[in-house]
Amino acid sequence: MTRAPRTVAPEDTPADSLRTAENALKIVVVGGFGVGKTTMVRSVSEIRPLHTEETMSPAGMLLDDPSRVSARKSATTVAFDFGRITIDERAVLYLFGAPGQERFWFLWERMLSGTIGAVVLVDTRRLPEAWYALDRLEHHGVPFIVAVNDFGGPFHTDAQIRHALTLDADVPMVEFDARDHSSSKFVLIALVEHLYDLALHRKT
């Protein structure tokens, strides 16, 4: 598994590059409940991200079962997260974080429309919760990579994670920390490189 670098502050992006960008590229971050999607979008976005987090209510806790995630989690995404990254003067990347709860999965179908690629976040303590995300991406034919968020859970080898998720050998898998800007940026670079490799393969 490729391990991401850590801790570099976000760089300022000139506003002129945003106004002159010709290409808008869409990437979606998906995964189970509480795996770090909002945290990743927040850590890597060059703008203050749009988010739709709401405080978890007692009724919502009965549906979402917060016992499976961090005890510090008190809010949850109810629609999507949105961030932006400027690649150069011609291209801007729009980043969408999908809600992980099953009751909001109906939002995924439209969110995946027009997506060039996706990042599937997984928590090694709850690997089966990534199955729905993998199934939807494969159904829509969206290329993706898998990013293992560091929650300090039990150690799993690359082979164990791939076996649990039934990943093909050509799907990249990286380890990262969603709280860290450089680490999250590394995940997006890995996805772009994967998309580039797939495009080259289709031409040959």
Side-chain angles (χ1 to χ4, degrees), residues 1-66:
M1 187 188 306
T2 307
R3 192 179 300 272
R6 299 170 63 93
T7 314
V8 174
E11 298 177 355
D12 293 331
T13 303
D16 288 344
S17 67
L18 302 179
R19 289 193 292 268
T20 60
E22 299 173 5
N23 299 311
L25 309 173
K26 179 182 177 183
I27 285 177
V28 174
V29 181
V30 295
F33 174 56
V35 294
K37 299 178 296 295
T38 298
T39 301
M40 178 182 174
V41 173
R42 185 177 292 157
S43 72
V44 79
S45 176
E46 68 190 17
I47 63 171
R48 183 177 181 179
L50 168 68
H51 62 84
T52 55
E53 280 196 312
E54 296 291 342
T55 301
M56 296 176 65
S57 66
M61 289 181 181
L62 293 176
L63 295 172
D64 298 331
D65 188 10

Side-chain angles (χ1 to χ4, degrees), residues 130-202:
W131 289 345
Y132 179 79
L134 296 171
D135 176 75
R136 289 294 84 199
L137 293 173
E138 291 172 355
H139 174 77
H140 286 275
V142 177
F144 63 89
I145 68 169
V146 170
V148 181
N149 198 7
D150 181 13
F151 285 96
F155 173 76
H156 292 75
T157 65
D158 289 10
Q160 287 172 329
I161 296 174
R162 286 187 175 276
H163 177 74
L165 301 178
T166 62
L167 286 183
D168 291 339
D170 59 351
V171 175
M173 187 169 64
V174 299
E175 182 180 0
F176 86 120
D177 184 338
R179 300 166 297 182
D180 185 83
H181 171 76
S182 292
S183 193
S184 294
K185 184 178 177 180
F186 172 82
V187 171
L188 297 180
I189 291 172
L191 174 60
V192 171
E193 290 177 343
H194 179 53
L195 297 175
Y196 181 72
D197 289 342
L198 291 176
L200 286 180
H201 181 73
R202 283 194 290 267

Side-chain angles (χ1 to χ4, degrees), residues 52-55 76-81 99 101 103-104 106-107:
T52 55
E53 280 196 312
E54 296 291 342
T55 301
T76 185
T77 299
V78 297
F80 64 88
D81 304 300
Q101 308 95 306
R103 58 194 169 112
F104 296 127
F106 69 93
L107 296 170

